[in-house]
């Protein structure tokens, strides 16, 4: 049976404050670093960040081998004692995180050990890289990480020897050269939150055979596509290194950031100036022509989740913001649990925002509890008000209000019978909400839990498609779509109507 060591850490600069986690999976026999994971979490507490680091490390180990044995090493006495069963878990924010960690591997296959902070340097460096990236409005990139080099140790020396081209260089000489940053340069690559040495891709994939076709856009209603902008982002990611890093370590973050700046990368970065500047210029040349400037920064990425089923959904009834405001059915709650598990495995969501209606708040609550996040309610994400059509099927509306329905289908300015909301009004509301959220969550990945019409409108606006395109998109209950929004106003649709997590 294969054996792994997981080292994990997390910190919050303020407690609560800007936080991040880091985790590394090591081969227990050789000490080789197999997988690194890190993520900026937004504003959370130290303990939440530490638990999120544990979750990321265990998930990465499971991806490598679900039958392995795992030994977890952390400098958090709280997490180690709680996960070992010696301390009770009382805090409501900790309980779902601990429960999720306990489910990743079968009981008895994971052991825990407390270690001093000085022995947890690799994970500590990863956590601080993630926090530093978040402070710059960027995502942590494994291609730019120097955590393994900074941490030292056998794995670090092996990495240093490989990067300098001198397999014989070990010990103090290798450490000295690593401190000088030899061979670092600029790297171009993707920005997954989890990067295996063998090239594991962590981006979500759409299920095969997803159907997209004409449908009535009632609340009864994601296949990936890659844009030139997304390609350009991949080409330029990692091209520009920071002049210096001042992190202070997760230890300093626990103290509220008072020791920030305890370590800097100025010496290492200055030694990269020769070859590094040439690499940066080359990367800019590749990224720029035809794609716009290479320094737009990381986009605000919106993961658009339609709520789970309600009793009205399988009946194909109009269910907007002016009707009975139904809650999820038992099927809908199961769908929300499934999407929560899928998003937890991906580990990229940094915030959760939901429409104020009951079905979206319930769906968001189930997902957020699994992710250890809070739910923010945003009025602009609510569904269209369908007026007198609320609770009716499309056929019933056709029978009772044929002239109003024909007008509604023909013009985005037409309103449903009884003073409902036009698609033009919904579009203006969603556009304003989009701009607000792009500004608030620049560089972060946010789950937006909403409804059919707002989600289709996000996609329509991103594509520059006409209003009638709303009638040509199918959006399933509990489906996922993804849109990235850039600082220059551009957008990239990355996923549409994905439902593989429901199968």
């Amino acid at each position: 049976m294969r054996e792994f060591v997981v080292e994990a850490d997390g910190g919050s600069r303020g407690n609560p404050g800007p936080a991040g986690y880091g985790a590394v999976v090591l081969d227990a026999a050789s000490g080789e670093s197999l997988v690194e994971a890190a993520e900026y979490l937004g504003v959370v507490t130290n303990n939440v960040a530490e638990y999120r680091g544990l979750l990321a490390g265990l998930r990465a180990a499971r991806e490598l081998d679900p039958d392995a044995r795992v030994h977890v090493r952390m400098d958090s006495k709280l997490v180690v004692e709680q996960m070992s069963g010696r301390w009770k878990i009382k805090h409501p924010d900790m309980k779902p995180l601990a429960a999720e960690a306990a489910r990743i591997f079968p009981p008895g296959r994971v052991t825990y050990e407390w270690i001093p902070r000085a022995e947890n340097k690799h994970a500590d460096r990863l956590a601080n890289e993630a926090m530093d990236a978040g402070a710059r409005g960027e995502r942590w990139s494994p291609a730019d990480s120097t955590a393994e080099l900074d941490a030292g140790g056998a794995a670090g020396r092996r990495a240093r020897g490989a990067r300098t081209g001198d397999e014989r260089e070990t010990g103090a000489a290798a450490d000295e050269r690593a401190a000088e940053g030899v061979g670092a340069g600029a790297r171009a690559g993707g920005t997954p939150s989890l990067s295996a040495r063998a090239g594991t891709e962590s981006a979500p994939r759409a299920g095969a055979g997803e159907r997209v076709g004409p449908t009535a856009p009632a609340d009864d209603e994601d296949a990936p596509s890659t844009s030139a902008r997304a390609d350009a982002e991949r080409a330029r990611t990692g091209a520009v290194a920071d002049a210096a890093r001042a992190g202070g370590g997760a230890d300093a973050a626990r103290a509220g950031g008072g020791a920030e700046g305890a370590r800097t990368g100025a010496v290492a970065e200055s030694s990269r100036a020769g070859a590094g500047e040439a690499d940066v210029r080359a990367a800019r040349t590749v990224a720029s022509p035809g794609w716009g400037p290479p320094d737009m920064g990381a986009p605000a990425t919106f993961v658009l989740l339609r709520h789970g089923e309600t009793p009205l959904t399988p009946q194909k009834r109009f269910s907007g913001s002016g009707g009975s405001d139904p809650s999820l059915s038992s099927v809908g709650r199961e769908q929300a649990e499934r999407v929560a598990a899928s998003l937890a495995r991906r580990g990229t969501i940094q915030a959760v925002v939901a429409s104020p209606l009951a079905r979206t708040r319930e769906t968001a609550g189930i997902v957020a509890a699994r992710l250890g996040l809070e739910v923010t309610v945003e009025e602009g994400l609510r569904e269209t008000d369908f007026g007198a059509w609320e609770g009716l099927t499309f056929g019933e509306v056709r029978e009772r209000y044929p002239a109003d329905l024909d007008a509604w289908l023909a013009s985005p300015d037409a309103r449903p019978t009884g003073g409902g909301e036009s698609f033009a009004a919904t579009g203006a509301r969603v556009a304003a909400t989009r701009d607000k959220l792009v500004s608030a969550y620049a560089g972060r990945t946010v789950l937006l839990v909403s409804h059919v019409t707002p989600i289709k409108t996000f996609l329509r606006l991103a594509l520059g498609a006409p209003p009638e395109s709303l009638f040509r998109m199918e959006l399933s209950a509990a489906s996922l779509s993804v849109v990235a929004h850039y600082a220059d106003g551009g957008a990239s649709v990355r996923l549409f109507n994905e439902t593989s997590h429901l199968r």
Side-chain angles (χ1 to χ4, degrees):
M1 180 180 290
R2 199 170 183 187
E3 295 187 6
F4 299 129
V5 172
V6 169
E7 294 178 352
D9 199 8
S12 173
R13 294 169 179 171
N15 196 30
Y21 69 71
V24 57
V25 182
L26 309 171
D27 183 274
S30 67
E32 178 184 1
S33 174
L34 304 175
V35 181
E36 289 179 330
E39 183 184 357
Y40 174 67
L41 298 173
V43 177
V44 300
T45 65
N46 290 329
N47 292 337
V48 167
E50 288 165 343
Y51 262 107
R52 292 291 298 277
L54 170 64
L55 286 168
L58 290 175
R59 289 170 185 149
R62 184 180 62 184
E63 287 292 322
L64 291 173
D65 188 346
D67 298 320
R69 291 188 179 275
V70 178
H71 183 64
V72 176
R73 292 160 46 91
M74 298 182 67
D75 60 55
S76 171
K77 189 74 169 176
L78 176 78
V79 174
V80 168
E81 293 299 316
Q82 287 181 342
M83 292 305 300
S84 298
R86 292 185 289 269
W87 290 3
K88 291 184 178 180
I89 305 172
K90 298 180 181 180
H91 198 286
D93 290 346
M94 302 299 107
K95 288 182 179 180
L97 298 175
E100 171 64 17
R103 288 193 294 265
I104 294 176
F105 281 94
R109 291 238 303 273
V110 181
T111 56
Y112 290 86
E113 176 191 1
W114 177 86
I115 57 174
R117 291 172 181 172
E119 295 181 20
N120 203 25
K121 290 181 179 179
H122 194 158
D124 172 272
R125 298 293 192 270
L126 289 168
N128 277 282
E129 286 184 350
M131 286 185 276
D132 292 342
R136 298 190 300 271
E138 302 172 1
R139 291 183 63 182
W140 174 81
S141 170
D144 290 335
S145 176
T146 62
E148 187 169 352
L149 302 180
D150 295 340
R157 285 193 293 273
R158 278 194 297 276
R160 282 191 287 272
R163 294 191 186 189
T164 58
D166 184 357
E167 294 293 344
R168 296 168 296 174
E169 185 176 48
T170 59
D175 290 339
E176 182 178 352
R177 286 181 64 79
E180 294 172 352
V182 175
R187 296 172 289 273
T191 57
S193 63
L194 179 66
S195 172
R197 292 291 186 262
T200 300
E201 173 61 60
S202 66
R205 291 168 172 78
E210 288 300 329
R211 181 169 60 90
V212 179
T215 180
D219 197 1
D220 310 301
E221 335 288 4
D222 292 20
S225 63
T226 303
S227 70
R229 189 180 302 278
D231 292 338
E233 181 191 3
R234 284 192 292 272
R236 64 181 170 78
T237 300
V240 183
D242 290 319
R245 289 185 176 90
D251 296 348
R254 291 187 182 90
E260 282 191 25
R263 66 177 180 87
T264 67
V267 174
E269 295 294 355
S270 65
S271 67
R272 295 178 183 152
E277 288 178 2
D279 290 340
V280 169
R281 287 194 298 272
R284 282 177 172 160
T285 300
V286 171
S288 295
W291 311 124
D295 57 351
M296 289 183 293
T301 302
F302 295 154
V303 179
L304 305 167
L305 169 62
R306 186 193 167 193
H307 61 78
E309 284 190 12
T310 75
L312 299 181
T313 307
Q315 300 175 31
K316 299 287 184 181
R317 297 187 179 275
F318 282 88
S319 181
S321 59
S324 60
D325 194 16
S327 298
L328 297 180
S329 64
S330 59
V331 171
R333 287 188 290 274
E334 172 63 23
Q335 290 171 332
E337 293 285 359
R338 287 177 178 267
V339 75
S342 177
L343 291 172
R345 286 193 296 271
R346 296 172 184 180
T348 57
I349 302 300
Q350 295 168 287
V352 179
V353 182
S355 150
L357 300 183
R359 53 196 181 273
T360 41
R361 286 189 289 106
E362 189 175 357
T363 301
I366 291 171
V367 176
R370 188 70 172 266
L371 301 180
L373 299 172
E374 300 293 329
V375 177
T376 299
V377 174
E378 170 54 57
E379 174 67 23
L381 295 177
R382 62 177 171 81
E383 180 57 288
T384 300
D385 183 344
F386 293 111
W389 302 349
E390 295 278 358
L392 302 180
T393 66
F394 192 80
E396 289 170 341
V397 172
R398 167 68 71 188
E399 180 180 339
R400 299 183 192 184
Y401 310 104
D404 289 350
L405 181 62
D406 286 343
W408 183 71
L409 294 173
S411 171
D413 295 314
R415 297 193 298 173
T417 307
E421 188 178 19
S422 70
F423 278 163
T426 300
R429 166 166 57 84
V430 170
T433 301
R434 173 204 60 194
D435 294 345
K436 173 184 174 182
L437 295 175
V438 167
S439 176
Y441 295 101
R444 301 174 66 189
T445 299
V446 185
L447 180 70
L448 305 184
V449 187
S450 189
H451 310 262
V452 166
T453 311
I455 291 175
K456 287 183 177 182
T457 302
F458 268 101
L459 297 166
R460 178 183 75 78
L461 294 173
L463 294 169
E468 55 266 29
S469 64
L470 295 177
F471 297 99
R472 295 177 172 85
M473 288 185 267
E474 179 169 332
L475 205 66
S476 304
S479 64
L480 292 169
S481 301
V482 178
V483 181
H485 292 275
Y486 292 82
D488 68 344
S492 169
V493 174
R494 299 182 173 183
L495 198 67
F496 174 67
N497 198 42
E498 193 216 344
T499 58
S500 60
H501 48 276
L502 301 179
R503 300 192 181 107

